[in-house]
Every structure is written in structure tokens, then in C-alpha cells.
Amino acid sequence: MGYQAVYERSMKDPESFWAEAAELIDWDRPWDKVLDSSNEPFHRWFAGGMLNTCYNAVDRHVTAGRGGQPAIIHDSPVTGSKTVITYAELQDQVARFAGALLALGVTKGDRVIVYMPMVPEAAVAMLACARIGAIHSVVFGGFSARELATRIDDAKPKVMVAGSCGIEPNRVVHYKPLLDSAINLAEHKPEHCIILQREQEPGTLIEGRDLGWAEALAAAEPAACVSVAATDPLYILYTSGTTGQPKGVVRDNGGHAVAMAWSMENVYNVKPGEVFWAASDVGWVVGHSYIVYAPLLAGCTTIVYEGKPVGTPDAGAFWRVISEHGVSVLFTAPTAFRAIKRDDPNAEHLGRYDLGTLRALFLAGERCDPDTLGWAQKILGIPVIDHWWQTETGWAIAANCLGIEQLPVKPGSPTRAVPGYDIQVLDDEGVSVAPGDIGRIMIKLPLPPGCLPTLWGNDARFIQSYLSAQPGYYLTGDAGYLDEDGYLFVMSRIDDIINVAGHRLSTGAMEGVLASHPDVAECAVIGAHDQLKGELPVGLVVLKSGVSRDDAAIVKELVNLVRDQIGPVAAFKTVVVVQRLPKTRSGKILRGTMKSIADGKDYRMPATIDDPAILEEIQTALGKIGYAKHA
Ligand code: COA
Ligand code: AMP
């Protein structure tokens, strides 16, 4: 069956479509209803069904004879080590770590926060939670202690699992001190912390509260998989919202397992036993879905890579990993390829490696600019697939589904709707726009299996953020258009979210931090175009009258404040002091116009602008820091 037929089947009869897909998973008890829509606008997949995600990702492969196959390969150029963990070894480690959690009183439904660098123990901790029905919430290491504290207070974990340190090429990330200070900041206090002591910087353990990973494991009895409801939460993953308060995206067990397994075959065209590599981080949704769950559910070998595309040691790093481990499919963000291209424009490092096993490259996390797509196609000579998705959906909304039928590529487009997703582009009144016209990209409910059923402990915010803009539709927050062939083009966000090196950040959260500085009267943060990272945040601040301190000192404090309050991942390094900010007559700051100025783009003078002369001042100020240059 070709793409069109598969897609139409998924739309016409979603229940039989997903029931058939659910055969990829081992169930302890079959579902009563494939899709339960009895409590709209909430939809639950496989209601009544029981399963265990860890069993499906690990144990069943050992039973089926894959025990000796590598499950995880940890390749760590930053520590100079490589480790292979077979499925049998993974089963043993996960069962024992699950036992260690049980011994600390963690049971079904309890939350466990995982704060770890790119080490296999991160996956072990996640799977161990799944094994006993506990709900994990992984927090990316590039966030500050304050961000971690916010997540602790929302998820209220019984136990935290952390690495003692992470290793960035230019520094050691002090995970343990960050963890301690987050717990100090948080109102909720977890009962225990399990710390993976790394030799590069072991952490100081707090007696009675902390214990080492090795000692926890040594004392533990292996734990069995417990059956959970398909609709029980597997994990919470926090992502940037439009306020400083991150959104706790919930993932269920049943729909997630089905979507993950189905996507490996149909989107990525990967078979059991093959090596799949998502060069991302376990702290992001790509890491959850395609470093940990999907490849393991499908019986593949997954690579946990602790390094960068460049500088560890050079721009040939990805090619080395692919050739050494026989990677079939690589998934990364376009920014990684821009970094490789910047350091090695003629791809000379490629000549040193045999990439014979590599069949396809998938890119996501940010818009894939046609230049990067073209360069990757040229140097690799394999299909390069841009696909579009978000933390909330957990897997691709639009893609070129290689396992179904390879469609022609249109540069700048992530191709067409993935089966299960009814993508529509609507105007502000909720009316479908004509092909080629830009509007809000929406997904008609129900969302397919694997997508968020709600936000953690906050059904009201789930409805208000995603379902209230247009009843019956999910608001993606992206704007774009469908062309006459049904190809989607994702152009921009309709909210304050920016995308920095494939990382999703809220400018509103950064503005909140700048505004907390005693010398700042008003501020705005915009996402200015950056050749490497796609966008970079740029702050514009107006100082309170009477402040006579040196601008440079204030700017430095502001940069440090954002790094301290949000984290290095914000990559917030540029602030400019201005006399005033452009506003509409009703007082709304014209961020979009300032972004156009920063990017050197033509813009239309907003009809409602209060004082057009301010735009020239902004142009001059941004020009002084290297922006606002016409191409
Ligand atoms: N823990 C702690 N700090 C981290 C971190 C982590 N896991 N990951 C990144 N950081 C820090 C970096 O050290 C850097 O800090 P610095 O200001 O002290 O230099 C800062 O966060 C910004 O990091 P990053 O945006 O990654 O920039 P970079 O200059 O270090 O690297 C790229 C640039 C393009 C090589 C890098 O962004 C990359 O590999 N991107 C791939 C995209 C990706 O994985 N996206 C995930 C979604 S698919
Ligand atoms: P995240 O939730 O961190 O995965 O970020 C999701 C957001 O990143 C989306 O809503 C888009 O704005 C952007 N994004 C991700 N993938 C793509 C893509 N292939 N093309 C365009 N934008 C993308």
C-alpha cells in the first residue's frame, strides 16, 4: 500500500488502523476500547489494556533470543570510552535498579526525576521506572538549578537520580552541586538521591539522603515488571511554555509504545537488529523517543553518544560513529549539520570513513533550511528527510515515511501528514485557508496514539493552551501552509517560543529574568537569526531613570542572571541598552518588528505604532552589536 492509501485508512478508520499497529506490542490484557472519547475533549487510547513498557523494550527481546545483541552502545569521546550493553545485560541492570528504587519506597505512580548526562545509566533509570510503574521526569543538564527546582516542585518526586557531573568540551558541568542547590530552592524535598559517581568529578553525598549508584545496585534485588494501564503515565517531560512556568507534558504507556514501534517501521524504515542513532540528548523529547524507547521497543541497537558533532575531536565525529558501529539511520538536528559544514565545508573528513551502512538521515527540531538539506544530500548521497514534531506529540506529525513510500522531497517542507494526523491550516476565525496561504497549523482531534493526553496535574492548562483556540482542534503553536500537493511548510511560531540550536526556549521566561534586575525598567527578548544555531536570543533593555552605572557592567550582570536562572542552554549572551522600546498605541511591545530589523529584513511599518522614530534608534542599537545588516 502506498502513502496515500495508508494515510486515508488511518483517517477513515483510526480504531482498526491503530488496533492493527498495536500488534507490535505485547499486552498483558487486551484493551476494551481502542479509542475512548467518552470524556471529550480528552481522548484515551487502548483504554482497559494493560502492559509494561520496560518488558516490551527489554525483556521480551531477551526471551525472543536477542539477549546477546547490543541494546545500547555508549560512545563517549569526551571521556575516551566506549561501552556495549547487550539486551541480557540491560535486563539485569534495569531489573536491579528497579529493585533499588523499590527499596527506597518508590512504587507505581511515584515520580522520579532523572538529571543525568549522556550515559547509559540515564536509560537504565528511565526503564527501571517504567518497570515498576513509576513516572520519570528527565531534566536536561543544560538547565539551571532554578529550572530544576521548578520541575521538582511540580512533579514532586520521591527520589532523584543524578550523575555527579557532565562533561562539556570546555568544562565540567557540576551536576551534584546543581542538584543540591535545586533541592534547597525547591519547596518539595525528595526523600532520596541516587548519584552515579563519575571519576571526572565525584559528588559529595549527603548522609541519610544520598546513596551511590553502585552501592544501590549492589544491594538491590531484581524487580519484576508490573502491569500498568495503557492510560497510566509513563513519563512527564517539561517543555517551554509561553510563561516562565514550563509545561509538564504527560506520556501514557499504551499509546506511546504503539506509536514508537509503528514509527520505527513506517517512518524510519528500520528493522529489528539494526543500529539506530539519534544524536540528541535524553533530556529532550527526541532523546526519550528515539534514543531510548522506540529503538529498544523495536529490538534495535541504540547509540548513546556523549559528544558533539564538532570539536570532539573534529567534524568527522559523526562519520566515525556511523562507520564504527554500523549505523543504519541517523537522526539529528539541522544545526549539527550546519556546525559540521562550518568546520569542514568540503566534507573532507568523510573520506576517512566507510558509511556503507547508512541508509537515511532524518532531521528535526527546527526548520531545515534548504541549504543545509542540499549540502547533506550532496555529501551523503542518501535520502535526507526533514520531519516536523514537538515535545507534545512525541513523534513525527509530518514526515516522508520511508517505510511506507518514499515521496519526492520538496526542500523546506517536512513533506506530508504522518498517518494518524489530520493536519489543517486555519485562519484566526477557524476557517481553512487556501493552499499556499499561511495560517495556524492545527491538528483535528483526536490526536493519534503517543501524543500528550494532558499536562501533569493541570487539565485546565492543557485545554487552555492547546484546545481552546479552535474547538475540536489541537493548536501546534506553529504557523505555515499546505501546498496544492498536501506538502506542509512550517514557517514560524505564533507565540514567544524561539528555537536555538534545536532547543526550544521561551523568550517570555528570559524577559521575566531580565525584568527582575533592579536597574531594568522594561525589556524585550527576540530570537535573531543565527547562521549556526538558527536563532539566538537578543535582549533589549530600558534602564530605570536615574540609573547611572556603566551599561557594560549591567549587560554583564544580565547575561549572568539568565545563565544562572535559566541555564547555559539559553545561549543568552547579547543584550543592548536602548532608550525606549517600540510599542503599539495600546502599549504592546513590537517584538516581531524588532526581529525583522535585527535580521536585516524589510518590514511593514505597523499601523498602530506609537512613535515610528523609535525604530531607527533600535536599528542603530542592534547595528552596534552586529545585527540589523541588510544581506
Ligand atoms: N549540560 C550542560 N550544559 C550544556 C549541555 C548539557 N547537556 N548541553 C549544552 N550545554 C551548554 C553548552 O556547554 C553551552 O555552554 P557555554 O555557553 O558555556 O558554551 C551552552 O549550553 C549552549 O550549548 P549549545 O547550544 O549546544 O551550543 P554549543 O556551542 O555548545 O554547540 C552545536 C553548538 C551546534 C554543536 C550543538 O548545539 C549541537 O550539537 N546541536 C545538536 C542539536 C541537538 O542535539 N538538538 C536537540 C534536539 S534534536
Ligand atoms: P520541541 O518541543 O523542543 O521538539 O520543539 C518543537 C518545535 O520545534 C516545533 O513546534 C517547531 O516550532 C520546531 N520544529 C521542530 N521540528 C521542526 C521542523 N522539522 N521544521 C520546522 N520546525 C520544527
Side-chain angles (χ1 to χ4, degrees):
M1 234 195 282
Y3 162 79
Q4 191 60 33
V6 177
Y7 182 75
E8 278 170 15
R9 228 199 105 208
S10 78
M11 289 293 106
K12 273 200 201 107
D13 194 357
E15 295 206 47
S16 83
F17 185 90
W18 290 112
E20 193 182 305
E23 286 169 18
L24 294 166
I25 294 302
D26 287 5
W27 296 84
D28 300 336
R29 178 187 187 279
W31 50 89
D32 299 321
K33 203 144 180 27
V34 181
L35 175 62
D36 175 6
S37 302
S38 60
N39 182 27
E40 291 206 325
F42 299 95
H43 297 270
R44 310 308 307 260
W45 288 96
F46 306 108
M50 306 282 291
L51 77 163
N52 183 280
T53 297
C54 176
Y55 173 80
N56 275 279
V58 183
D59 302 65
R60 67 166 172 164
H61 301 310
V62 178
T63 311
R66 286 191 187 281
Q69 178 196 310
I72 298 177
I73 298 174
H74 181 227
D75 187 305
S76 170
V78 294
T79 58
S81 68
K82 288 173 207 165
T83 316
V84 177
I85 300 173
T86 64
Y87 269 101
E89 289 163 347
L90 184 63
Q91 183 185 35
D92 175 59
Q93 288 185 26
V94 169
R96 283 196 294 131
F97 195 69
L101 291 174
L102 282 180
L104 293 178
V106 177
T107 55
K108 182 168 174 285
D110 285 338
R111 275 79 58 209
V112 174
I113 283 190
V114 177
Y115 185 55
M116 296 189 100
M118 284 295 288
V119 289
E121 287 83 355
V124 170
M126 293 161 77
L127 292 161
C129 289
R131 194 171 188 85
I132 57 173
I135 302 165
H136 62 70
S137 186
V138 182
V139 179
F140 178 62
F143 281 120
S144 65
R146 196 189 71 143
E147 290 282 330
L148 180 56
T150 308
R151 288 152 174 79
I152 293 174
D153 279 334
D154 197 68
K156 300 191 171 45
K158 194 174 253 182
V159 166
M160 313 257 315
V161 184
S164 61
C165 69
I167 295 121
E168 282 292 289
N170 55 354
R171 71 200 152 90
V172 169
V173 186
H174 312 293
Y175 274 73
K176 182 58 171 55
L178 282 165
L179 175 83
D180 290 341
S181 95
I183 295 174
N184 276 340
L185 285 170
E187 267 174 42
H188 171 84
K189 306 292 177 199
E191 289 169 21
H192 292 286
C193 301
I194 303 180
I195 309 297
L196 176 73
Q197 297 285 28
R198 303 191 81 190
E199 63 183 38
Q200 292 78 8
E201 185 178 278
T204 310
L205 302 187
I206 295 179
E207 218 180 304
R209 189 195 74 182
D210 300 347
L211 68 165
W213 175 283
E215 75 187 91
L217 216 57
E221 287 290 323
C225 296
V226 304
S227 224
V228 301
T231 50
D232 279 340
L234 169 69
Y235 69 75
I236 308 164
L237 177 57
Y238 288 90
T239 189
S240 298
T242 49
T243 65
Q245 185 68 28
K247 293 170 170 162
V249 167
V250 174
R251 196 82 60 212
D252 66 10
N253 274 275
H256 171 255
V258 173
M260 291 294 100
W262 186 88
S263 71
M264 287 302 278
E265 274 187 19
N266 292 280
V267 178
Y268 301 99
N269 194 23
V270 178
K271 304 276 172 286
E274 291 193 309
V275 183
F276 186 87
W277 179 24
S280 176
D281 189 287
V282 283
W284 305 117
V285 68
V286 174
H288 281 65
S289 294
Y290 293 105
I291 295 175
V292 181
Y293 286 109
L296 296 178
L297 284 163
C300 294
T301 300
T302 185
I303 296 196
V304 172
Y305 175 67
E306 192 179 19
K308 302 269 172 179
V310 294
T312 56
D314 55 37
F318 274 21
W319 321 142
R320 175 190 67 74
V321 173
I322 294 165
S323 69
E324 246 177 64
H325 306 302
V327 172
S328 296
V329 170
L330 169 65
F331 177 167
T332 191
T335 191
F337 266 72
R338 289 197 296 270
I340 297 169
K341 184 179 168 208
R342 183 194 57 184
D343 282 16
D344 184 17
N346 299 319
E348 282 164 14
H349 284 290
L350 254 182
R352 297 197 278 135
Y353 303 98
D354 175 3
L355 265 53
T357 54
L358 191 69
R359 288 201 308 270
L361 166 67
F362 282 79
L363 298 171
E366 57 176 326
R367 183 162 190 272
C368 182
D369 51 291
D371 276 359
T372 305
L373 183 91
W375 189 74
Q377 281 170 331
K378 188 178 89 186
I379 64 159
L380 295 175
I382 53 171
V384 178
I385 309 298
D386 175 15
H387 60 327
W388 169 65
W389 50 299
Q390 41 185 215
T391 306
E392 289 84 346
T393 63
W395 63 294
I397 312 166
N400 200 336
C401 296
L402 286 193
I404 300 175
E405 177 190 356
Q406 189 177 337
L407 298 174
V409 169
K410 293 195 190 189
S413 167
T415 318
R416 299 186 58 183
V418 169
Y421 289 97
D422 185 355
I423 300 179
Q424 301 195 12
V425 179
L426 307 182
D427 66 15
D428 288 350
E429 272 70 54
V431 178
S432 263
V433 300
D437 285 356
I438 291 188
R440 298 183 294 175
I441 309 176
M442 304 259 197
I443 305 168
K444 193 163 186 295
L445 298 178
L447 295 169
C451 297
L452 81 172
T454 189
L455 292 177
W456 178 248
N458 207 337
D459 286 348
R461 189 177 183 200
F462 170 65
I463 294 176
Q464 181 247 321
S465 307
Y466 301 107
L467 306 183
S468 60
Q470 186 60 45
Y473 290 83
Y474 165 85
L475 179 75
T476 65
D478 284 302
Y481 64 92
L482 286 161
D483 74 4
E484 42 310 316
D485 299 322
Y487 277 62
L488 181 72
F489 289 77
V490 183
M491 306 307 290
S492 59
R493 290 286 303 192
I494 58 172
D495 51 19
D496 73 348
I497 296 222
I498 59 169
N499 202 308
V500 180
H503 307 138
R504 168 169 160 181
L505 298 164
S506 156
T507 55
M510 292 184 228
E511 288 177 3
V513 174
L514 297 180
S516 72
H517 188 284
D519 293 343
V520 171
E522 275 195 297
C523 63
V525 174
I526 55 170
H529 174 74
D530 180 75
Q531 263 205 315
L532 175 66
K533 297 193 177 185
E535 286 186 306
L536 271 181
V538 172
L540 297 103
V541 296
V542 178
L543 301 181
K544 286 182 182 159
S545 62
V547 172
S548 57
R549 297 173 58 216
D550 181 23
D551 283 2
I554 298 173
V555 162
K556 201 165 165 213
E557 285 167 17
L558 291 171
V559 167
N560 287 338
L561 200 60
V562 174
R563 192 176 171 94
D564 183 57
Q565 301 277 298
I566 295 180
V569 67
F572 184 83
K573 307 224 158 127
T574 314
V575 189
V576 61
V577 176
V578 294
Q579 294 307 311
R580 41 200 191 144
L581 291 169
K583 291 186 189 162
T584 62
R585 281 189 283 277
S586 60
K588 201 168 160 273
I589 296 175
L590 291 161
R591 294 180 180 78
T593 310
M594 289 194 284
K595 176 175 166 53
S596 297
I597 295 174
D599 293 349
K601 282 196 187 145
D602 293 332
Y603 60 89
R604 213 180 309 144
M605 179 66 70
T608 55
I609 191 165
D610 186 30
D611 177 2
I614 302 181
L615 295 183
E616 267 176 52
E617 294 171 25
I618 297 292
Q619 171 116 24
T620 310
L622 287 170
K624 282 191 190 142
I625 53 167
Y627 288 98
K629 308 243 185 299
H630 270 278

